[in-house]
Amino acid sequence: MQKRYQYILCILAVFCAAAMGCGTKTVEDSEVIMEIAGQPVVKAEYQMIVDSCQAKIKQQYDTDTVNSKDFWDAGKPGERPLDQAMQFARETLVHNKTVAQLAKEKGITTDLDYLSLAAQQEGENDRRQELEESGGTLYGITAFGLREYYDYAYTQAEYELTEILKGEQEISDGELQAIYEENQQEYTSEVSVDMLIAEMAADVGNEQAAQVAEDLREHTDLPYLAEKYPAVNFYELTMSSLNMQEGKSGAYMQRWLTASDMQQGEVCEPFAIGENVMVMRCLKRSEQAVQPFEEVKGLLKDSVRSGLAYEELQARQEETEVELKVSQEQLEAIAKEAL
């Protein structure tokens, strides 16, 4: 009787295991686990995003906590490291899939679903390998990782989308003028200088450079100077702390640093600028100078349109719906698989 009872228990255990196996659906890497803004998200894509935030989350905790067996499940519901990873994945995917949906609406034809991007990445890497082996010119990296290619594709799509959205934003000159007036401090330079500049190759010699400097103290007539020194490039340039014409690094940065300290009528000593030599005369110096509206109008218009395009994208993200194709428990299990 005892043996028969044990046998029945074993049979029941087998049936229970089978029933549990049938009830718990195995999710394949290529299976859609959610739709966001009508765009599919497959398991492998979700896990790739979840995995990418591991380091950032772990930085918030000490080593012993990170190395604990139940690290991802530790803490209050909604505040666990696992919850942080899943929230990061959700926000990233909502942004990306909203971009994909809007891009499709605006006629951008690039396929941005994960499986298409994986195929594109493989094809792009094959092309790059063939180009490298044939001795052709290869720009950028030799091969993309899947996450690198995924980010590249979405960044490119977002750029194209933003340009389209910017072009759809209507803003009048009157509106721009009002924005300019309200934010005039942003267009006020601490220092603005008009410079007469002589730039020449270093091999002209110190004596010639000194002679040019001496002539600049007496003359500001460009035709006269150009005729007297045909090997020297003379030009006028306005620079300010808002617009220095050379960026914040590189050889020509010294041009701004020197010019910004000069007073009207002053001529600096010759100095090296990259492989050239430069001499400058300050024609005019102004402080707290406001850039005229016409000079900033183009940049201001582009900035305002960019802001409006970003607001439109943000509004669409806030309206975006996430539809799970698996249970919340399955989604947590999928996330933990990747961590």
mmCIF file with all atom_site columns, all heavy atoms in Angstrom, residues 251-272:
data_model
loop_
_atom_site.group_PDB
_atom_site.id
_atom_site.type_symbol
_atom_site.label_atom_id
_atom_site.label_alt_id
_atom_site.label_comp_id
_atom_site.label_asym_id
_atom_site.label_entity_id
_atom_site.label_seq_id
_atom_site.pdbx_PDB_ins_code
_atom_site.Cartn_x
_atom_site.Cartn_y
_atom_site.Cartn_z
_atom_site.occupancy
_atom_site.B_iso_or_equiv
_atom_site.pdbx_formal_charge
_atom_site.auth_seq_id
_atom_site.auth_comp_id
_atom_site.auth_asym_id
_atom_site.auth_atom_id
_atom_site.pdbx_PDB_model_num
ATOM 1   N N   . ALA A 1 251 ? 44.893 76.256  -32.841 1.00 0.00 ? 251 ALA A N   1
ATOM 2   C CA  . ALA A 1 251 ? 45.949 77.247  -33.007 1.00 0.00 ? 251 ALA A CA  1
ATOM 3   C C   . ALA A 1 251 ? 45.419 78.673  -32.983 1.00 0.00 ? 251 ALA A C   1
ATOM 4   O O   . ALA A 1 251 ? 46.036 79.574  -32.404 1.00 0.00 ? 251 ALA A O   1
ATOM 5   C CB  . ALA A 1 251 ? 46.679 76.990  -34.320 1.00 0.00 ? 251 ALA A CB  1
ATOM 6   N N   . TYR A 1 252 ? 44.258 78.920  -33.586 1.00 0.00 ? 252 TYR A N   1
ATOM 7   C CA  . TYR A 1 252 ? 43.760 80.284  -33.700 1.00 0.00 ? 252 TYR A CA  1
ATOM 8   C C   . TYR A 1 252 ? 43.147 80.826  -32.413 1.00 0.00 ? 252 TYR A C   1
ATOM 9   O O   . TYR A 1 252 ? 42.756 81.984  -32.353 1.00 0.00 ? 252 TYR A O   1
ATOM 10  C CB  . TYR A 1 252 ? 42.754 80.385  -34.848 1.00 0.00 ? 252 TYR A CB  1
ATOM 11  C CG  . TYR A 1 252 ? 43.443 80.490  -36.187 1.00 0.00 ? 252 TYR A CG  1
ATOM 12  C CD1 . TYR A 1 252 ? 43.837 79.355  -36.880 1.00 0.00 ? 252 TYR A CD1 1
ATOM 13  C CD2 . TYR A 1 252 ? 43.732 81.730  -36.746 1.00 0.00 ? 252 TYR A CD2 1
ATOM 14  C CE1 . TYR A 1 252 ? 44.490 79.449  -38.099 1.00 0.00 ? 252 TYR A CE1 1
ATOM 15  C CE2 . TYR A 1 252 ? 44.381 81.843  -37.970 1.00 0.00 ? 252 TYR A CE2 1
ATOM 16  C CZ  . TYR A 1 252 ? 44.760 80.691  -38.642 1.00 0.00 ? 252 TYR A CZ  1
ATOM 17  O OH  . TYR A 1 252 ? 45.422 80.782  -39.847 1.00 0.00 ? 252 TYR A OH  1
ATOM 18  N N   . MET A 1 253 ? 43.073 80.008  -31.391 1.00 0.00 ? 253 MET A N   1
ATOM 19  C CA  . MET A 1 253 ? 42.586 80.508  -30.107 1.00 0.00 ? 253 MET A CA  1
ATOM 20  C C   . MET A 1 253 ? 43.468 81.647  -29.606 1.00 0.00 ? 253 MET A C   1
ATOM 21  O O   . MET A 1 253 ? 42.994 82.597  -28.990 1.00 0.00 ? 253 MET A O   1
ATOM 22  C CB  . MET A 1 253 ? 42.562 79.365  -29.082 1.00 0.00 ? 253 MET A CB  1
ATOM 23  C CG  . MET A 1 253 ? 42.004 79.753  -27.722 1.00 0.00 ? 253 MET A CG  1
ATOM 24  S SD  . MET A 1 253 ? 40.288 80.303  -27.852 1.00 0.00 ? 253 MET A SD  1
ATOM 25  C CE  . MET A 1 253 ? 39.970 80.762  -26.156 1.00 0.00 ? 253 MET A CE  1
ATOM 26  N N   . GLN A 1 254 ? 44.764 81.566  -29.901 1.00 0.00 ? 254 GLN A N   1
ATOM 27  C CA  . GLN A 1 254 ? 45.689 82.605  -29.451 1.00 0.00 ? 254 GLN A CA  1
ATOM 28  C C   . GLN A 1 254 ? 45.350 83.960  -30.071 1.00 0.00 ? 254 GLN A C   1
ATOM 29  O O   . GLN A 1 254 ? 45.590 85.005  -29.479 1.00 0.00 ? 254 GLN A O   1
ATOM 30  C CB  . GLN A 1 254 ? 47.134 82.206  -29.796 1.00 0.00 ? 254 GLN A CB  1
ATOM 31  C CG  . GLN A 1 254 ? 48.193 83.142  -29.223 1.00 0.00 ? 254 GLN A CG  1
ATOM 32  C CD  . GLN A 1 254 ? 48.139 83.222  -27.705 1.00 0.00 ? 254 GLN A CD  1
ATOM 33  O OE1 . GLN A 1 254 ? 48.008 82.209  -27.031 1.00 0.00 ? 254 GLN A OE1 1
ATOM 34  N NE2 . GLN A 1 254 ? 48.234 84.433  -27.166 1.00 0.00 ? 254 GLN A NE2 1
ATOM 35  N N   . ARG A 1 255 ? 44.768 83.924  -31.260 1.00 0.00 ? 255 ARG A N   1
ATOM 36  C CA  . ARG A 1 255 ? 44.370 85.177  -31.909 1.00 0.00 ? 255 ARG A CA  1
ATOM 37  C C   . ARG A 1 255 ? 43.350 85.916  -31.040 1.00 0.00 ? 255 ARG A C   1
ATOM 38  O O   . ARG A 1 255 ? 43.467 87.128  -30.831 1.00 0.00 ? 255 ARG A O   1
ATOM 39  C CB  . ARG A 1 255 ? 43.779 84.874  -33.293 1.00 0.00 ? 255 ARG A CB  1
ATOM 40  C CG  . ARG A 1 255 ? 43.313 86.099  -34.041 1.00 0.00 ? 255 ARG A CG  1
ATOM 41  C CD  . ARG A 1 255 ? 42.987 85.781  -35.491 1.00 0.00 ? 255 ARG A CD  1
ATOM 42  N NE  . ARG A 1 255 ? 41.855 84.856  -35.616 1.00 0.00 ? 255 ARG A NE  1
ATOM 43  C CZ  . ARG A 1 255 ? 41.399 84.403  -36.784 1.00 0.00 ? 255 ARG A CZ  1
ATOM 44  N NH1 . ARG A 1 255 ? 41.994 84.775  -37.910 1.00 0.00 ? 255 ARG A NH1 1
ATOM 45  N NH2 . ARG A 1 255 ? 40.381 83.587  -36.844 1.00 0.00 ? 255 ARG A NH2 1
ATOM 46  N N   . TRP A 1 256 ? 42.361 85.187  -30.523 1.00 0.00 ? 256 TRP A N   1
ATOM 47  C CA  . TRP A 1 256 ? 41.350 85.817  -29.676 1.00 0.00 ? 256 TRP A CA  1
ATOM 48  C C   . TRP A 1 256 ? 41.931 86.250  -28.331 1.00 0.00 ? 256 TRP A C   1
ATOM 49  O O   . TRP A 1 256 ? 41.643 87.344  -27.855 1.00 0.00 ? 256 TRP A O   1
ATOM 50  C CB  . TRP A 1 256 ? 40.176 84.872  -29.467 1.00 0.00 ? 256 TRP A CB  1
ATOM 51  C CG  . TRP A 1 256 ? 39.320 85.227  -28.282 1.00 0.00 ? 256 TRP A CG  1
ATOM 52  C CD1 . TRP A 1 256 ? 39.186 84.555  -27.117 1.00 0.00 ? 256 TRP A CD1 1
ATOM 53  C CD2 . TRP A 1 256 ? 38.495 86.399  -28.145 1.00 0.00 ? 256 TRP A CD2 1
ATOM 54  N NE1 . TRP A 1 256 ? 38.346 85.196  -26.249 1.00 0.00 ? 256 TRP A NE1 1
ATOM 55  C CE2 . TRP A 1 256 ? 37.901 86.342  -26.860 1.00 0.00 ? 256 TRP A CE2 1
ATOM 56  C CE3 . TRP A 1 256 ? 38.220 87.485  -28.964 1.00 0.00 ? 256 TRP A CE3 1
ATOM 57  C CZ2 . TRP A 1 256 ? 37.037 87.331  -26.391 1.00 0.00 ? 256 TRP A CZ2 1
ATOM 58  C CZ3 . TRP A 1 256 ? 37.350 88.473  -28.504 1.00 0.00 ? 256 TRP A CZ3 1
ATOM 59  C CH2 . TRP A 1 256 ? 36.772 88.390  -27.238 1.00 0.00 ? 256 TRP A CH2 1
ATOM 60  N N   . LEU A 1 257 ? 42.747 85.395  -27.727 1.00 0.00 ? 257 LEU A N   1
ATOM 61  C CA  . LEU A 1 257 ? 43.320 85.727  -26.424 1.00 0.00 ? 257 LEU A CA  1
ATOM 62  C C   . LEU A 1 257 ? 44.142 87.012  -26.493 1.00 0.00 ? 257 LEU A C   1
ATOM 63  O O   . LEU A 1 257 ? 44.118 87.843  -25.583 1.00 0.00 ? 257 LEU A O   1
ATOM 64  C CB  . LEU A 1 257 ? 44.178 84.571  -25.915 1.00 0.00 ? 257 LEU A CB  1
ATOM 65  C CG  . LEU A 1 257 ? 43.427 83.277  -25.566 1.00 0.00 ? 257 LEU A CG  1
ATOM 66  C CD1 . LEU A 1 257 ? 44.413 82.185  -25.184 1.00 0.00 ? 257 LEU A CD1 1
ATOM 67  C CD2 . LEU A 1 257 ? 42.425 83.518  -24.449 1.00 0.00 ? 257 LEU A CD2 1
ATOM 68  N N   . THR A 1 258 ? 44.882 87.167  -27.581 1.00 0.00 ? 258 THR A N   1
ATOM 69  C CA  . THR A 1 258 ? 45.690 88.383  -27.755 1.00 0.00 ? 258 THR A CA  1
ATOM 70  C C   . THR A 1 258 ? 44.796 89.589  -28.045 1.00 0.00 ? 258 THR A C   1
ATOM 71  O O   . THR A 1 258 ? 44.919 90.654  -27.431 1.00 0.00 ? 258 THR A O   1
ATOM 72  C CB  . THR A 1 258 ? 46.702 88.193  -28.896 1.00 0.00 ? 258 THR A CB  1
ATOM 73  O OG1 . THR A 1 258 ? 47.539 87.059  -28.606 1.00 0.00 ? 258 THR A OG1 1
ATOM 74  C CG2 . THR A 1 258 ? 47.570 89.427  -29.071 1.00 0.00 ? 258 THR A CG2 1
ATOM 75  N N   . ALA A 1 259 ? 43.863 89.409  -28.976 1.00 0.00 ? 259 ALA A N   1
ATOM 76  C CA  . ALA A 1 259 ? 43.012 90.514  -29.400 1.00 0.00 ? 259 ALA A CA  1
ATOM 77  C C   . ALA A 1 259 ? 42.126 91.029  -28.267 1.00 0.00 ? 259 ALA A C   1
ATOM 78  O O   . ALA A 1 259 ? 41.908 92.247  -28.141 1.00 0.00 ? 259 ALA A O   1
ATOM 79  C CB  . ALA A 1 259 ? 42.135 90.065  -30.567 1.00 0.00 ? 259 ALA A CB  1
ATOM 80  N N   . SER A 1 260 ? 41.634 90.150  -27.434 1.00 0.00 ? 260 SER A N   1
ATOM 81  C CA  . SER A 1 260 ? 40.694 90.559  -26.377 1.00 0.00 ? 260 SER A CA  1
ATOM 82  C C   . SER A 1 260 ? 41.349 91.450  -25.321 1.00 0.00 ? 260 SER A C   1
ATOM 83  O O   . SER A 1 260 ? 40.651 92.140  -24.581 1.00 0.00 ? 260 SER A O   1
ATOM 84  C CB  . SER A 1 260 ? 40.082 89.329  -25.714 1.00 0.00 ? 260 SER A CB  1
ATOM 85  O OG  . SER A 1 260 ? 41.090 88.534  -25.095 1.00 0.00 ? 260 SER A OG  1
ATOM 86  N N   . ASP A 1 261 ? 42.680 91.432  -25.254 1.00 0.00 ? 261 ASP A N   1
ATOM 87  C CA  . ASP A 1 261 ? 43.393 92.275  -24.278 1.00 0.00 ? 261 ASP A CA  1
ATOM 88  C C   . ASP A 1 261 ? 43.865 93.598  -24.868 1.00 0.00 ? 261 ASP A C   1
ATOM 89  O O   . ASP A 1 261 ? 44.431 94.432  -24.153 1.00 0.00 ? 261 ASP A O   1
ATOM 90  C CB  . ASP A 1 261 ? 44.617 91.520  -23.732 1.00 0.00 ? 261 ASP A CB  1
ATOM 91  C CG  . ASP A 1 261 ? 44.233 90.475  -22.683 1.00 0.00 ? 261 ASP A CG  1
ATOM 92  O OD1 . ASP A 1 261 ? 43.150 90.625  -22.083 1.00 0.00 ? 261 ASP A OD1 1
ATOM 93  O OD2 . ASP A 1 261 ? 44.997 89.522  -22.490 1.00 0.00 ? 261 ASP A OD2 1
ATOM 94  N N   . MET A 1 262 ? 43.635 93.807  -26.154 1.00 0.00 ? 262 MET A N   1
ATOM 95  C CA  . MET A 1 262 ? 44.175 95.007  -26.809 1.00 0.00 ? 262 MET A CA  1
ATOM 96  C C   . MET A 1 262 ? 43.207 96.186  -26.765 1.00 0.00 ? 262 MET A C   1
ATOM 97  O O   . MET A 1 262 ? 41.984 96.000  -26.726 1.00 0.00 ? 262 MET A O   1
ATOM 98  C CB  . MET A 1 262 ? 44.537 94.669  -28.265 1.00 0.00 ? 262 MET A CB  1
ATOM 99  C CG  . MET A 1 262 ? 45.687 93.670  -28.374 1.00 0.00 ? 262 MET A CG  1
ATOM 100 S SD  . MET A 1 262 ? 46.020 93.127  -30.070 1.00 0.00 ? 262 MET A SD  1
ATOM 101 C CE  . MET A 1 262 ? 46.571 94.675  -30.820 1.00 0.00 ? 262 MET A CE  1
ATOM 102 N N   . GLN A 1 263 ? 43.778 97.391  -26.766 1.00 0.00 ? 263 GLN A N   1
ATOM 103 C CA  . GLN A 1 263 ? 43.004 98.624  -26.783 1.00 0.00 ? 263 GLN A CA  1
ATOM 104 C C   . GLN A 1 263 ? 43.027 99.229  -28.189 1.00 0.00 ? 263 GLN A C   1
ATOM 105 O O   . GLN A 1 263 ? 43.896 98.909  -29.008 1.00 0.00 ? 263 GLN A O   1
ATOM 106 C CB  . GLN A 1 263 ? 43.585 99.631  -25.776 1.00 0.00 ? 263 GLN A CB  1
ATOM 107 C CG  . GLN A 1 263 ? 43.583 99.146  -24.343 1.00 0.00 ? 263 GLN A CG  1
ATOM 108 C CD  . GLN A 1 263 ? 42.188 98.900  -23.803 1.00 0.00 ? 263 GLN A CD  1
ATOM 109 O OE1 . GLN A 1 263 ? 41.259 99.664  -24.093 1.00 0.00 ? 263 GLN A OE1 1
ATOM 110 N NE2 . GLN A 1 263 ? 42.016 97.842  -23.017 1.00 0.00 ? 263 GLN A NE2 1
ATOM 111 N N   . GLN A 1 264 ? 42.080 100.113 -28.455 1.00 0.00 ? 264 GLN A N   1
ATOM 112 C CA  . GLN A 1 264 ? 41.990 100.726 -29.777 1.00 0.00 ? 264 GLN A CA  1
ATOM 113 C C   . GLN A 1 264 ? 43.299 101.438 -30.147 1.00 0.00 ? 264 GLN A C   1
ATOM 114 O O   . GLN A 1 264 ? 43.868 102.166 -29.343 1.00 0.00 ? 264 GLN A O   1
ATOM 115 C CB  . GLN A 1 264 ? 40.828 101.728 -29.805 1.00 0.00 ? 264 GLN A CB  1
ATOM 116 C CG  . GLN A 1 264 ? 40.600 102.346 -31.178 1.00 0.00 ? 264 GLN A CG  1
ATOM 117 C CD  . GLN A 1 264 ? 39.298 103.129 -31.238 1.00 0.00 ? 264 GLN A CD  1
ATOM 118 O OE1 . GLN A 1 264 ? 38.347 102.819 -30.540 1.00 0.00 ? 264 GLN A OE1 1
ATOM 119 N NE2 . GLN A 1 264 ? 39.259 104.168 -32.070 1.00 0.00 ? 264 GLN A NE2 1
ATOM 120 N N   . GLY A 1 265 ? 43.794 101.165 -31.367 1.00 0.00 ? 265 GLY A N   1
ATOM 121 C CA  . GLY A 1 265 ? 45.028 101.772 -31.855 1.00 0.00 ? 265 GLY A CA  1
ATOM 122 C C   . GLY A 1 265 ? 46.271 100.979 -31.518 1.00 0.00 ? 265 GLY A C   1
ATOM 123 O O   . GLY A 1 265 ? 47.352 101.232 -32.061 1.00 0.00 ? 265 GLY A O   1
ATOM 124 N N   . GLU A 1 266 ? 46.172 100.013 -30.634 1.00 0.00 ? 266 GLU A N   1
ATOM 125 C CA  . GLU A 1 266 ? 47.338 99.238  -30.204 1.00 0.00 ? 266 GLU A CA  1
ATOM 126 C C   . GLU A 1 266 ? 47.702 98.193  -31.258 1.00 0.00 ? 266 GLU A C   1
ATOM 127 O O   . GLU A 1 266 ? 46.833 97.595  -31.896 1.00 0.00 ? 266 GLU A O   1
ATOM 128 C CB  . GLU A 1 266 ? 47.017 98.554  -28.872 1.00 0.00 ? 266 GLU A CB  1
ATOM 129 C CG  . GLU A 1 266 ? 48.198 97.812  -28.261 1.00 0.00 ? 266 GLU A CG  1
ATOM 130 C CD  . GLU A 1 266 ? 47.826 97.158  -26.922 1.00 0.00 ? 266 GLU A CD  1
ATOM 131 O OE1 . GLU A 1 266 ? 46.681 97.344  -26.449 1.00 0.00 ? 266 GLU A OE1 1
ATOM 132 O OE2 . GLU A 1 266 ? 48.697 96.461  -26.365 1.00 0.00 ? 266 GLU A OE2 1
ATOM 133 N N   . VAL A 1 267 ? 49.013 97.976  -31.442 1.00 0.00 ? 267 VAL A N   1
ATOM 134 C CA  . VAL A 1 267 ? 49.535 96.935  -32.330 1.00 0.00 ? 267 VAL A CA  1
ATOM 135 C C   . VAL A 1 267 ? 50.333 95.962  -31.487 1.00 0.00 ? 267 VAL A C   1
ATOM 136 O O   . VAL A 1 267 ? 51.206 96.371  -30.708 1.00 0.00 ? 267 VAL A O   1
ATOM 137 C CB  . VAL A 1 267 ? 50.423 97.526  -33.446 1.00 0.00 ? 267 VAL A CB  1
ATOM 138 C CG1 . VAL A 1 267 ? 51.035 96.409  -34.295 1.00 0.00 ? 267 VAL A CG1 1
ATOM 139 C CG2 . VAL A 1 267 ? 49.615 98.490  -34.314 1.00 0.00 ? 267 VAL A CG2 1
ATOM 140 N N   . CYS A 1 268 ? 50.039 94.674  -31.630 1.00 0.00 ? 268 CYS A N   1
ATOM 141 C CA  . CYS A 1 268 ? 50.753 93.668  -30.829 1.00 0.00 ? 268 CYS A CA  1
ATOM 142 C C   . CYS A 1 268 ? 52.070 93.282  -31.495 1.00 0.00 ? 268 CYS A C   1
ATOM 143 O O   . CYS A 1 268 ? 52.292 93.533  -32.682 1.00 0.00 ? 268 CYS A O   1
ATOM 144 C CB  . CYS A 1 268 ? 49.886 92.426  -30.641 1.00 0.00 ? 268 CYS A CB  1
ATOM 145 S SG  . CYS A 1 268 ? 49.623 91.467  -32.152 1.00 0.00 ? 268 CYS A SG  1
ATOM 146 N N   . GLU A 1 269 ? 52.930 92.676  -30.717 1.00 0.00 ? 269 GLU A N   1
ATOM 147 C CA  . GLU A 1 269 ? 54.176 92.134  -31.265 1.00 0.00 ? 269 GLU A CA  1
ATOM 148 C C   . GLU A 1 269 ? 53.861 90.878  -32.085 1.00 0.00 ? 269 GLU A C   1
ATOM 149 O O   . GLU A 1 269 ? 52.878 90.189  -31.825 1.00 0.00 ? 269 GLU A O   1
ATOM 150 C CB  . GLU A 1 269 ? 55.143 91.782  -30.128 1.00 0.00 ? 269 GLU A CB  1
ATOM 151 C CG  . GLU A 1 269 ? 55.648 92.975  -29.352 1.00 0.00 ? 269 GLU A CG  1
ATOM 152 C CD  . GLU A 1 269 ? 56.422 93.939  -30.234 1.00 0.00 ? 269 GLU A CD  1
ATOM 153 O OE1 . GLU A 1 269 ? 57.237 93.463  -31.058 1.00 0.00 ? 269 GLU A OE1 1
ATOM 154 O OE2 . GLU A 1 269 ? 56.208 95.163  -30.106 1.00 0.00 ? 269 GLU A OE2 1
ATOM 155 N N   . PRO A 1 270 ? 54.675 90.569  -33.105 1.00 0.00 ? 270 PRO A N   1
ATOM 156 C CA  . PRO A 1 270 ? 54.439 89.350  -33.887 1.00 0.00 ? 270 PRO A CA  1
ATOM 157 C C   . PRO A 1 270 ? 54.439 88.117  -32.975 1.00 0.00 ? 270 PRO A C   1
ATOM 158 O O   . PRO A 1 270 ? 55.230 88.028  -32.036 1.00 0.00 ? 270 PRO A O   1
ATOM 159 C CB  . PRO A 1 270 ? 55.631 89.328  -34.858 1.00 0.00 ? 270 PRO A CB  1
ATOM 160 C CG  . PRO A 1 270 ? 56.062 90.760  -34.960 1.00 0.00 ? 270 PRO A CG  1
ATOM 161 C CD  . PRO A 1 270 ? 55.821 91.357  -33.607 1.00 0.00 ? 270 PRO A CD  1
ATOM 162 N N   . PHE A 1 271 ? 53.524 87.179  -33.255 1.00 0.00 ? 271 PHE A N   1
ATOM 163 C CA  . PHE A 1 271 ? 53.470 85.936  -32.474 1.00 0.00 ? 271 PHE A CA  1
ATOM 164 C C   . PHE A 1 271 ? 53.131 84.772  -33.400 1.00 0.00 ? 271 PHE A C   1
ATOM 165 O O   . PHE A 1 271 ? 52.535 84.952  -34.478 1.00 0.00 ? 271 PHE A O   1
ATOM 166 C CB  . PHE A 1 271 ? 52.440 86.044  -31.331 1.00 0.00 ? 271 PHE A CB  1
ATOM 167 C CG  . PHE A 1 271 ? 51.015 86.246  -31.786 1.00 0.00 ? 271 PHE A CG  1
ATOM 168 C CD1 . PHE A 1 271 ? 50.162 85.160  -31.963 1.00 0.00 ? 271 PHE A CD1 1
ATOM 169 C CD2 . PHE A 1 271 ? 50.524 87.528  -32.036 1.00 0.00 ? 271 PHE A CD2 1
ATOM 170 C CE1 . PHE A 1 271 ? 48.849 85.350  -32.371 1.00 0.00 ? 271 PHE A CE1 1
ATOM 171 C CE2 . PHE A 1 271 ? 49.215 87.729  -32.436 1.00 0.00 ? 271 PHE A CE2 1
ATOM 172 C CZ  . PHE A 1 271 ? 48.370 86.635  -32.610 1.00 0.00 ? 271 PHE A CZ  1
ATOM 173 N N   . ALA A 1 272 ? 53.557 83.590  -32.962 1.00 0.00 ? 272 ALA A N   1
ATOM 174 C CA  . ALA A 1 272 ? 53.329 82.383  -33.765 1.00 0.00 ? 272 ALA A CA  1
ATOM 175 C C   . ALA A 1 272 ? 51.881 81.947  -33.651 1.00 0.00 ? 272 ALA A C   1
ATOM 176 O O   . ALA A 1 272 ? 51.277 81.993  -32.578 1.00 0.00 ? 272 ALA A O   1
ATOM 177 C CB  . ALA A 1 272 ? 54.261 81.264  -33.300 1.00 0.00 ? 272 ALA A CB  1
#
